[in-house]
Amino acid sequence: GRFCEGTNLVFFPGGTSGGGFETVVYNGAKAAEEAFGPTVTYQWSDWDPDKMITQFSEAVATGPDGIAIMGHPGDDAFGPLVDDAREQGILVTSMNTQLQELESRYATEGFGYVGAVLHDAGFALATEAINRGGLQAGDQALVWGLVSQPGRGERTQGILDALEEAGLAVEYLEIDAATN
């Protein structure tokens, strides 16, 4: 039944209302809200890690029972904030980008992860592209990615690792604000 009635949550679906990926995340959260009965506040971040950090601090200030975050800012950025939230009795969990340090610290207190293991997902994607494209050692590949971003860069690193393991010559370009 609706065993979460009376529970207040803050949920971060990601980018913008109506965006392709974040709409799927949001619709799943809305279905869970309807099924289990918590009161949920949704925060849209425009995929901006700085905004995610600010919104997390604002969410903690409201004293919810739990917060479900996108892990894009990384363990270093979220660490002290999650520590503070836990000291206040607020449960926190992560989606889409793993926060392995925080998960290992707070797993027994409800901190988990929902999403793919990003390095493995990137490696599998590149392996499939190699197979479907008939690529061979010595072929060239261009990767445009997010290696520099904590957590999120793991997917791009998985792609690079698979391409290099297959012997491809890889040119890498980092996505930055100017190229978004």
Side-chain angles (χ1 to χ4, degrees):
R2 297 174 55 83
F3 66 90
C4 291
E5 285 191 75
T7 302
N8 293 306
L9 305 174
V10 179
F11 189 92
F12 291 74
T16 58
S17 178
F21 176 83
E22 53 267 46
T23 295
V24 173
V25 174
Y26 173 76
N27 288 342
K30 288 297 287 182
E33 179 183 6
E34 180 62 31
F36 302 121
T39 299
V40 182
T41 302
Y42 295 90
Q43 294 288 328
W44 302 97
S45 66
D46 301 316
W47 297 118
D48 179 343
D50 292 330
K51 189 172 184 178
M52 291 176 182
I53 292 296
T54 299
Q55 289 175 323
F56 182 83
S57 295
E58 293 167 353
V60 168
T62 69
D65 298 299
I67 305 173
I69 57 176
M70 290 285 177
H72 298 70
D75 277 302
D76 291 342
F78 266 128
L81 301 172
V82 171
D83 291 342
D84 179 58
R86 290 301 307 131
E87 287 173 14
Q88 295 181 49
I90 301 169
L91 296 175
V92 181
T93 196
S94 182
M95 305 169 288
N96 190 250
T97 301
Q98 287 179 285
L99 298 171
Q100 293 177 346
E101 291 173 26
L102 286 167
E103 188 175 348
S104 67
R105 191 176 324 152
Y106 294 115
T108 61
E109 298 176 32
F111 195 106
Y113 172 67
V114 176
V117 175
L118 296 181
H119 182 276
D120 296 352
F123 196 95
L125 174 67
T127 300
E128 187 65 18
I130 291 165
N131 292 337
R132 288 186 185 197
L135 302 176
Q136 300 174 16
D139 287 345
Q140 296 181 350
L142 171 67
V143 176
W144 186 51
L146 300 166
V147 168
S148 70
Q149 291 191 14
R152 288 184 78 193
E154 290 295 316
R155 181 176 19 244
T156 303
Q157 190 59 57
I159 292 167
L160 293 170
D161 290 348
L163 294 173
E164 291 169 0
E165 186 177 294
L168 277 74
V170 179
E171 179 73 26
Y172 175 73
L173 297 173
E174 180 74 14
I175 296 172
D176 62 27
T179 57
N180 278 332

